[in-house]
């Protein structure tokens, strides 16, 4: 919803927080983020954290290598402008799209990415999962001594894009996805390590639990956050009604 023009001299308005209840088509999500980021730049919309899921799909970031797409016919493949290589999105994975004024809040891109990493690690810590970063690998990793010495699996991916200092895309945490779906790609171009999830680590946490932890940890840094409506609630309702009418 548009708001009045925001001046740099005025208090920063509350950051909006939205959760979509049904899987969102990826191109529609990207189109929404593009529009919202433009409105944030123009000062006509509030910054937004948007939590959602997608149907099973692969995305190719700006550094994706063709040889890392192992099964191109398995799921839809979407080329996207975020940084990084191939990633998977699907049910059971919490995708967090982050639309913030990076220069205002962080000053530089590195500090912003560090915040995303720390936010993810702190969220995982809420469930007793120790996430770590690596200088030579993107994302958040967990050690797997149960699988052997020096074995690590990726539990969260991070990939962002900035346009005139406003961010979009964000991070994805594996809560309880079908991990076999990752086998159609080389996730983030890393062949030496696998992927895991909160469920795979034998931790009982629902998507709602993860959402609550994400918000708690986010508000430790950004105190002014307010709920807003699912941006696709009306369209999901229309599509559900049309499907029921057709049966």
């Amino acid at each position: 919803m548009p708001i009045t023009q925001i001046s740099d001299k005025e208090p920063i308005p509350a950051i909006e927080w939205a959760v979509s209840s049904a899987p969102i088509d990826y191109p529609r999500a990207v189109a929404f983020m593009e529009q919202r980021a433009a409105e944030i730049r123009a000062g006509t919309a509030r910054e937004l954290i948007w939590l959602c899921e997608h149907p099973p799909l692969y995305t190719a970031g700006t550094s994706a290598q063709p040889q890392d797409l192992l099964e191109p016919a398995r799921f839809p493949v979407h080329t996207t402008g975020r940084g990084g290589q191939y990633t998977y999105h699907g049910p059971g994975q919490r995708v967090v799209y982050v639309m913030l004024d990076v220069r205002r809040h962080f000053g530089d891109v590195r500090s912003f990415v560090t915040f995303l990493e720390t936010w993810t690690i702190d969220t995982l810590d809420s469930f007793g999962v120790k996430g770590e970063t690596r200088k030579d690998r993107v994302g958040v990793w967990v050690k797997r001594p149960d699988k052997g010495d020096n074995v690590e699996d990726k539990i969260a991916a991070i990939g962002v894009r900035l346009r005139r200092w406003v961010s979009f895309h964000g991070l994805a945490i594996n809560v309880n996805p079908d991990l076999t779906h990752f086998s159609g790609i080389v996730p983030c171009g890393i062949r030496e390590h696998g992927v895991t999830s909160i469920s795979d680590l034998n931790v009982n946490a629902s998507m709602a639990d993860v959402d609550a932890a994400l918000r708690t940890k986010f508000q430790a840094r950004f105190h002014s956050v307010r709920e807003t409506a699912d941006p696709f609630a009306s369209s999901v309702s229309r599509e559900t009604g049309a499907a029921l009418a057709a049966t």
Side-chain angles (χ1 to χ4, degrees), residues 25 28 36 91 172:
D25 179 67
R28 293 177 70 193
R36 183 61 175 248

Side-chain angles (χ1 to χ4, degrees), residues 129-150:
V129 175
K130 183 175 175 53
E132 301 178 0
T133 57
R134 296 289 178 262
K135 290 183 179 180
D136 59 338
R137 287 180 256 136
V138 296
V140 176
W141 300 81
V142 294
K143 294 178 180 178
R144 300 300 305 269
D146 54 312
K147 292 184 175 182
D149 294 338
N150 301 317

